């Protein structure tokens, strides 16, 4: 225990410094992404505050239709004028002052009477509200589908079991949605989720913290020196693994929390109690949880992923005698994860912990004719992988004992 | 009195036989391993301590196989490497604290023990200095401090006086003499003056075998009265050497005039 505490005390400081540095870079990038979502900030707020939860999407759609109709009308009038005044062989006619002014103002984004800008704003707002609006209806359709299956006499064991669990889950979701009668501004939350799903710096952080853990001990022959003390190589390596795992976990939590704080400060704090289904791409989620719950789950899952990567890198680091070799070898899992995070393949999405894949859909996979929650499967696989890698590493350490 | 016995020890690195059938009995006191580079001094010490695996033979401590003793043997053992590995970002205190934890020294005694060994090697003033700021000699002294920390029963030093100034060499000798009543001390060196006055047993190695193993006075008596003749090979002088000698000869002729 003394050895573990000593190692923790010594290794946490440089790791936290690296984490803070990488986190700051990541948070700055996240802030820029969040700012991108706030492009119509003032207009958005003024329209948004005038809306009511139940009718928000319909009203925004109506407003979008109106501005679109205005644009079409203006375009038609301009077209008609040009058609009426065009003579063969002569130059195209010039629009009269009134019509030309309207057309110019409409085309100017951000202008007081810019219908192009307004149309874009309503469409953007509509896309944010669409999932929330459609979620209830989509889930309702799903539920009636499952009930129809039961009436039609479907006998497949898995289908029936899946219908039963999804009916239970979706009923809970609908109950949750009924309780939430507030209108949520989902811009910050959507941007945050999209950002952390594609966040490559997270993998870089784990690499920076872990790659030299054992290679530096071997290169400097400290491992040989410590192997002949009372504690021996086995206990030294065991404590080193535990401390590296804990430090990696702490750093991952710090990194995720800093990103979470940026999201909250960017206006996402108001969405923490919002049902998950109101987020973009989560309309059919079977998880009866809030956005805040998803944020907690995201931190836990990312920490788990960090532990698996940490274990893999510690093992690779242990097998490398030199720092430079370990650095090059440990780049492989980092590069693989970054590569996979760009793929649309479902396995790649599972491996890289895409929250929209894990939480966005029905959320069950078939395991021996039983529907198993995909998130729990992910947790189990991560725990198993991390455990197996750590045990292999400890066994490697024991081999250096006598 | 404790005995560390090496029986028929052999070590092979690929095709090269580094040690062949080495038999040595180390008793409480100072045991010096002397030999030229590549004679097998470090290999013997690495095999005794378990840093490397022996190819054959046995190592026993008080009649018990040390590799079966495991932790019980390791807690009695301390080894100073030829180039001791450190954590450069640690202070001397932190490094010795880690060593104390690894050696299983009680928490209550750790602080006093660290201060004791640091004062023995004259590093008390540098207790909170980072190791990366230490000179080579200071690092060597810290390595000695780390080795004697916790008063182990078997102390192994590989070239301990490298980098030490004359004063520190004498100090090191004094420390060894103060410990020799209760410890088996094994010192490897090729500098005879480091151990000639303090050693109890002198083991001379050559090409992986023991050529002499006796008390120094007995070994000295064997060579007493003998004259060493060191043949110098005659070779053709290089042009600049020729020039140098010609110039010297000319200057001598001039000074005689």
């Amino acid at each position: 225990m003394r050895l573990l505490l000593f190692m923790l005390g010594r290794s946490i400081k440089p790791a936290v410094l690296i984490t803070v540095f990488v986190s700051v870079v990541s948070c700055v990038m996240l802030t820029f992404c969040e700012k991108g979502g706030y492009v119509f900030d003032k207009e958005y707020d003024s329209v948004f505050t005038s809306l009511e939860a139940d009718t928000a999407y319909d009203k925004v759609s109506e407003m979008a239709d109106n501005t679109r109709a205005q644009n079409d009308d203006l375009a038609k009038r301009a077209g008609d004028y040009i058609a009426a005044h065009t003579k063969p062989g002569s130059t195209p006619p010039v629009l009269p002052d009134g019509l030309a002014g309207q057309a110019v103002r409409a085309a100017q984004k951000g202008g007081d009477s810019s219908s192009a800008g307004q149309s874009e704003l309503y469409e953007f707002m509509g896309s944010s509200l669409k999932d929330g609006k459609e979620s209830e209806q989509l889930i309702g359709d799903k539920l009636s589908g499952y009930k129809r299956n039961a009436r039609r006499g479907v006998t497949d064991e898995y289908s029936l079991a899946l219908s039963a669990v999804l009916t239970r889950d979706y009923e809970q979701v609908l109950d949750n949605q009924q309780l939430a009668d507030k209108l949520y501004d989902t811009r910050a939350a959507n941007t945050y989720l999209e950002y952390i799903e594609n966040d490559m710096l997270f993998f870089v952080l784990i690499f920076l913290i872990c790659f030299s853990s054992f290679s530096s001990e071997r290169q400097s022959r400290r491992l040989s020196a410590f192997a002949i003390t009372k504690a021996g190589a086995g206990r030294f390596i065991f404590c080193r693994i535990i401390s590296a795992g804990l430090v990696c976990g702490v750093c991952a939590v710090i990194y995720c929390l800093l990103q979470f704080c940026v999201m909250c400060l960017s206006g996402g704090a108001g969405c923490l109690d919002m049902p998950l289904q109101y987020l973009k791409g989560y309309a059919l989620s079977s998880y009866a949880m809030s956005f805040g719950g998803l944020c907690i789950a995201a931190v836990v899952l990312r920490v788990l992923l960090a532990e698996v990567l940490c274990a893999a890198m510690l093992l690779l680091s242990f097998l490398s005698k030199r720092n430079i070799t370990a650095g090059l070898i440990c780049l492989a899992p980092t590069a693989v994860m970054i590569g996979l995070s760009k793929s649309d393949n479902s396995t790649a999405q599972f491996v890289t912990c895409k929250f929209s894949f894990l939480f966005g859909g029905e959320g069950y996979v078939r395991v021996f004719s039983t529907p198993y929650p995909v998130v729990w499967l992910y947790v189990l696989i991560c725990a198993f992988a991390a455990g197996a890698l750590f045990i292999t590493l400890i066994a490697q350490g024991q081999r250096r004992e006598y | 009195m404790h005995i560390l016995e090496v029986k028929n020890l052999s070590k092979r690195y690929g095709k090269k036989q580094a040690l062949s059938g080495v038999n040595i009995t180390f008793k409480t006191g100072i045991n010096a391993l002397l030999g030229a580079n590549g004679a097998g001094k470090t290999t013997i010490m690495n095999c005794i301590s378990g840093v490397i695996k022996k190819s054959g033979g046995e190592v026993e401590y008080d009649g018990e196989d040390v590799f079966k003793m495991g932790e019980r043997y390791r807690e009695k053992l301390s080894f100073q490497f030829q180039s001791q590995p450190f954590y450069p970002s640690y202070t001397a205190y932190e490094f010795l604290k880690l060593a104390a934890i690894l050696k299983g020294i009680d928490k209550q005694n750790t602080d006093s023990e660290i201060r004791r060994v640091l004062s023995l090697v004259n590093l008390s003033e540098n207790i909170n200095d980072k190791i990366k700021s230490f000179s080579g000699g200071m690092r060597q002294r810290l390595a000695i401090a780390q080795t004697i920390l916790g008063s182990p029963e078997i102390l192994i030093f590989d070239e301990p006086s490298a980098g030490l100034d004359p004063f520190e060499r004498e100090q090191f000798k004094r420390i060894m003499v103060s410990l020799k009543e209760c410890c088996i001390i094994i010192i490897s060196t090729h500098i005879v003056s480091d151990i000639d006055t303090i050693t109890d047993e002198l083991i001379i190695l050559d090409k992986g075998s023991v050529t002499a193993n006796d008390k120094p006075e007995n070994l000295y008596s064997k060579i007493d009265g003998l004259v060493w003749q060191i043949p110098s090979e005659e070779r053709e002088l290089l042009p600049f050497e020729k020039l140098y000698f010609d110039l010297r000869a000319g200057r001598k002729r001039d000074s005689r005039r």
Side-chain angles (χ1 to χ4, degrees):
Chain A
M1 195 65 186
R2 271 175 81 200
L3 185 57
L4 178 64
L5 289 175
F6 183 86
M7 284 181 178
L8 268 176
R10 282 300 314 182
S11 52
I12 195 117
K13 200 174 150 188
V16 167
L17 278 173
I18 293 171
T19 308
V20 169
F21 176 73
V22 178
S23 302
V24 167
V25 176
S26 175
C27 287
V28 169
M29 285 164 70
L30 176 59
T31 310
F32 277 116
C33 290
E34 295 279 13
K35 267 186 129 10
Y38 282 77
V39 67
F40 306 111
D41 201 15
K42 279 182 188 166
E43 299 93 326
Y44 194 103
D45 282 344
S46 65
V47 177
F48 198 79
T49 45
S50 69
L51 299 173
E52 281 175 25
D54 297 338
T55 57
Y57 179 68
D58 297 331
K59 199 171 175 188
V60 169
S61 300
E62 194 185 311
M63 288 151 98
D65 290 343
N66 287 343
T67 42
R68 211 174 298 124
Q70 278 174 21
N71 282 346
D72 291 348
D73 181 50
L74 190 62
K76 190 175 176 297
R77 276 196 287 151
D80 289 349
Y81 181 86
I82 290 166
H85 293 83
T86 304
K87 287 172 187 163
S90 65
T91 51
V94 177
L95 290 174
D97 278 356
L99 196 57
Q102 276 181 22
V104 168
R105 281 198 298 276
Q108 280 174 338
K109 284 185 184 176
D112 284 343
S113 51
S114 158
S115 50
Q118 275 180 344
S119 175
E120 225 171 290
L121 164 68
Y122 295 139
E123 272 167 28
F124 175 69
M125 195 179 273
S127 70
S128 305
L129 297 168
K130 191 180 174 193
D131 290 86
K133 167 71 183 171
E134 288 184 345
S135 167
E136 246 175 277
Q137 195 192 332
L138 288 170
I139 289 173
D141 291 347
K142 278 258 174 193
L143 279 175
S144 60
Y146 294 136
K147 281 167 190 163
R148 207 179 311 127
N149 279 352
R151 278 202 305 275
R152 281 177 183 166
V154 172
T155 52
D156 176 44
E157 200 183 326
Y158 175 72
S159 299
L160 289 172
L162 183 65
S163 294
V165 289
L166 281 175
T167 306
R168 183 197 64 200
D169 291 351
Y170 278 138
E171 277 169 357
Q172 272 184 5
V173 169
L174 291 176
D175 290 345
N176 265 15
Q177 287 192 355
Q178 274 167 7
L179 290 172
D181 55 353
K182 203 168 98 183
L183 186 62
Y184 296 96
D185 180 358
T186 57
R187 286 176 294 174
N190 280 328
T191 313
Y192 168 70
L193 280 178
E194 199 179 326
Y195 181 83
I196 61 169
E197 265 196 3
N198 300 302
D199 185 11
M200 288 181 280
L201 279 177
F202 183 69
F203 302 121
V204 175
L205 172 69
I206 308 301
F207 167 77
L208 289 176
I209 294 172
C210 298
F211 86 91
S212 67
S213 295
F214 283 111
S215 56
S216 63
E217 303 292 358
R218 292 193 70 187
Q219 188 173 355
S220 62
R221 294 188 70 214
R222 284 192 290 261
L223 198 58
S224 305
F226 296 152
I228 55 167
T229 58
K230 187 188 175 188
R235 211 176 298 168
F236 177 78
I237 289 167
F238 179 76
C239 289
R240 193 73 204 233
I241 292 166
I242 300 293
S243 70
L246 287 172
V247 166
C248 183
V250 169
C251 291
V253 169
I254 292 172
Y255 182 83
C256 294
L257 284 181
L258 286 174
Q259 285 183 334
F260 177 76
C261 291
V262 169
M263 184 273 294
C264 287
L265 293 171
S266 305
C271 292
L272 292 175
D273 60 339
M274 175 183 77
L276 184 63
Q277 289 71 20
Y278 292 3
L279 292 164
K280 204 183 277 181
Y282 289 77
L284 266 174
S285 170
S286 66
Y287 289 88
M289 58 161 62
S290 61
F291 171 64
L294 178 67
C295 290
I296 294 168
V299 172
V300 173
L301 292 180
R302 290 178 97 191
V303 169
L304 257 177
L305 180 63
E307 290 298 335
V308 177
L309 281 173
C310 167
M313 286 193 195
L314 288 183
L315 185 58
L316 290 173
S317 168
F318 190 84
L319 298 175
S320 314
K321 279 186 183 171
R322 301 178 76 84
N323 268 346
I324 184 80
T325 324
L328 291 172
I329 292 173
C330 289
L331 272 178
T334 313
V336 166
M337 292 307 281
I338 290 172
L340 287 177
S341 67
K342 291 180 183 299
S343 169
D344 290 334
N345 180 282
S346 58
T347 312
Q349 290 190 333
F350 182 81
V351 170
T352 53
C353 190
K354 295 264 185 193
F355 307 111
S356 55
F357 177 79
L358 297 175
F359 291 95
E362 290 181 344
Y364 286 93
V365 285
R366 185 174 188 154
V367 179
F368 303 117
S369 74
T370 313
Y372 198 80
V374 69
V375 174
W376 284 114
L377 187 71
Y378 184 82
V379 170
L380 273 178
I381 289 174
C382 280
F384 178 77
L389 287 166
F390 280 138
I391 288 166
T392 312
L393 191 47
I394 291 166
Q396 283 286 325
Q398 292 294 336
R399 281 180 61 197
R400 277 152 177 84
E401 289 264 330
Y402 62 84
Chain B
M1 177 180 277
H2 297 290
I3 292 174
L4 181 70
E5 217 169 353
V6 173
K7 292 178 179 171
N8 209 20
L9 187 68
S10 62
K11 176 67 190 173
R12 181 179 274 280
Y13 294 107
K15 285 181 182 173
K16 193 193 169 196
Q17 187 78 39
L19 293 176
S20 49
V22 171
N23 290 291
I24 311 170
T25 303
F26 298 106
K27 293 176 189 156
T28 301
I30 299 173
N31 303 265
L33 290 173
L34 273 176
N37 288 334
K41 305 184 295 288
T42 302
T43 307
I44 287 182
M45 294 195 292
N46 282 340
C47 287
I48 291 171
S49 59
V51 172
I52 56 170
K53 280 184 182 166
K54 58 189 167 54
S55 305
E58 282 166 18
V59 182
E60 290 179 356
Y61 182 69
D62 290 342
E64 204 177 342
D65 187 338
V66 297
F67 299 104
K68 286 179 184 158
M69 286 171 76
E71 192 179 312
R72 279 190 298 123
Y73 174 62
R74 293 199 304 265
E75 74 178 324
K76 297 176 196 301
L77 176 81
S78 200
F79 191 157
Q80 187 216 313
F81 288 80
Q82 207 165 350
S83 52
Q84 185 73 27
F86 294 105
Y87 287 102
S89 61
Y90 282 28
T91 62
Y93 181 84
E94 284 169 338
F95 179 72
L96 291 179
K97 190 178 175 188
L98 173 63
I101 295 169
L102 288 165
K103 287 181 174 197
I105 297 169
D106 290 343
K107 199 176 178 181
Q108 296 88 334
N109 300 331
T110 300
D111 194 60
S112 58
E113 183 64 9
I114 289 171
R115 287 174 197 283
R116 180 184 75 83
V117 293
L118 280 176
S119 73
L120 278 176
V121 295
N122 291 328
L123 282 176
S124 298
E125 286 178 6
N126 307 92
I127 187 164
N128 291 318
D129 291 350
K130 295 221 175 200
I131 298 173
K132 63 183 165 198
S133 69
F134 280 20
S135 66
M138 287 165 86
R139 284 179 189 224
Q140 193 70 356
R141 281 185 276 153
L142 184 63
I144 293 166
Q146 181 267 131
T147 312
I148 60 177
L149 185 77
S151 309
E153 289 174 14
I154 306 163
L155 293 166
I156 304 176
F157 295 93
D158 195 358
E159 310 279 359
S161 55
L164 297 183
D165 62 31
F167 173 78
E168 296 302 340
R169 281 174 191 228
E170 288 309 312
Q171 179 69 7
F172 173 71
K173 283 184 189 175
R174 273 198 288 277
I175 296 168
M176 293 301 105
V177 170
S178 69
L179 292 169
K180 73 178 205 175
E181 298 302 322
C182 54
C183 303
I184 297 173
I185 301 171
I186 303 169
I187 302 172
S188 135
T189 184
H190 45 241
I191 304 165
V192 181
S193 61
D194 280 349
I195 42 91
D196 58 352
T197 54
I198 58 166
T199 189
D200 299 304
E201 285 284 325
L202 203 56
I203 300 123
I204 299 170
L205 294 160
D206 184 38
K207 291 173 188 165
S209 303
V210 177
T211 52
N213 181 359
D214 209 337
K215 295 196 177 301
E217 52 271 24
N218 295 341
L219 287 173
Y220 293 150
S221 68
K222 281 179 193 172
I223 57 168
D224 203 21
L226 293 175
V227 175
W228 291 99
Q229 192 177 18
I230 303 170
S232 68
E233 280 179 35
E234 279 190 16
R235 62 177 173 84
E236 203 178 324
L237 292 174
L238 293 166
F240 69 89
E241 288 175 322
K242 221 171 185 177
L243 180 69
Y244 171 74
F245 286 118
D246 286 350
L247 284 170
R248 267 190 76 179
R251 207 170 289 150
K252 274 184 183 172
R253 275 199 301 274
D254 292 345
S255 64
R256 272 183 213 139
R257 277 180 211 157

